[in-house]
Amino acid sequence: MKKAFAIVALIAAMFVAGNVQAQSTIYAGYAPESFVSGNSSSNYQGFFAGFTKNFGLTKGIGVAAGAQFRMNTRSGQSSLWILEGSVKETQLLVDVPILFNYGININRDLSITPFVGPMASLALVGQTKGTDPIFGENTSNWYDDKGNLNRFNLYAVFGADLKFSQFNLFAGYRLGLLNLYSNENITLKTNGFFVGLGFSL
């Protein structure tokens, strides 16, 4: 954890000093996520949007830091005896990726940039809404005093960015490293791929 804070401090210092070249990118994409516990998993649809600033450290090598807003959602049916109801789950998160990258120029306008690094994630909202003919609508919050889930997660992220002129097409995978369940007898971790489009300013 101390190393992550040191990296963030270094990037902030470089940004303030303005001694390195930096390029800003805005982006959005699709990022489904699986919550895995033992042999079972729950699969969510996911979407994200954010911005990043890539600092050139030396020729071809850079570190990109930024922030993104991400949403996970899942809908389904529930049954109580012969009565049918519906369930909708929603999670809203803020991610802070710090990705080391290496640009490989194919020609003047086209380049491929592999990237790897950590991504800290903080869940702002997590809730399950259920509706049935008897009890009506009810909502349970994942992170209230009765919940057993932790808001903070840390991912290992890797992938590649294909850049043509100012346009970016990127894809990769994120692997959750922390157990999100506070009960020591249960392990809950997350993972998922992502794909997105970006525009460099």
Side-chain angles (χ1 to χ4, degrees):
M1 186 64 69
K2 291 182 179 179
K3 291 183 178 179
F5 284 125
I7 293 171
V8 172
L10 174 62
I11 293 171
M14 290 188 302
F15 178 73
V16 173
N19 292 327
V20 295
Q21 293 183 344
Q23 185 174 54
S24 299
T25 301
I26 55 174
Y27 58 85
Y30 175 62
E33 186 151 61
S34 296
F35 288 63
V36 181
S37 178
N39 296 323
S40 64
S41 66
S42 299
N43 300 314
Y44 292 76
Q45 299 297 315
F47 305 91
F48 64 93
F51 70 93
T52 187
K53 185 176 285 288
N54 190 48
F55 298 89
L57 302 181
T58 185
K59 187 175 182 180
I61 299 176
V63 57
Q68 66 183 25
F69 177 80
R70 184 159 53 96
M71 179 179 69
N72 291 323
T73 182
R74 183 176 73 146
S75 299
Q77 297 295 316
S78 64
S79 59
L80 180 64
W81 297 298
I82 61 173
L83 301 175
E84 292 292 331
S86 63
V87 174
K88 183 176 181 179
E89 296 180 308
T90 304
Q91 185 188 35
L92 304 178
L93 311 100
V94 172
D95 302 322
V96 180
I98 302 175
L99 304 176
F100 295 90
N101 53 82
Y102 180 70
I104 304 170
N105 293 323
I106 306 301
N107 57 38
R108 178 179 170 180
D109 296 319
L110 182 65
S111 65
I112 298 176
T113 305
F115 56 81
V116 62
M119 182 176 76
S121 182
L122 180 66
L124 304 177
V125 175
Q127 63 180 19
T128 300
K129 285 187 176 181
T131 304
D132 62 70
I134 296 179
F135 301 104
E137 184 175 294
N138 58 86
T139 301
S140 62
N141 295 312
W142 299 2
Y143 305 111
D144 61 13
D145 295 336
K146 298 179 181 179
N148 293 310
L149 292 180
N150 297 318
R151 292 179 181 270
F152 181 76
N153 199 1
L154 182 66
Y155 293 87
V157 179
F158 59 89
D161 177 24
L162 177 64
K163 183 176 180 180
F164 179 76
S165 186
Q166 291 178 280
F167 296 93
N168 300 266
L169 173 62
F170 59 92
Y173 189 82
R174 66 192 182 282
L175 178 65
L177 303 177
L178 303 182
N179 180 14
L180 300 182
Y181 208 82
S182 57
N183 189 325
E184 295 181 356
N185 298 321
I186 300 176
T187 299
L188 179 66
K189 293 187 176 183
T190 59
N191 62 73
F193 73 90
F194 57 89
V195 60
L197 293 172
F199 182 78
S200 296
L201 304 176

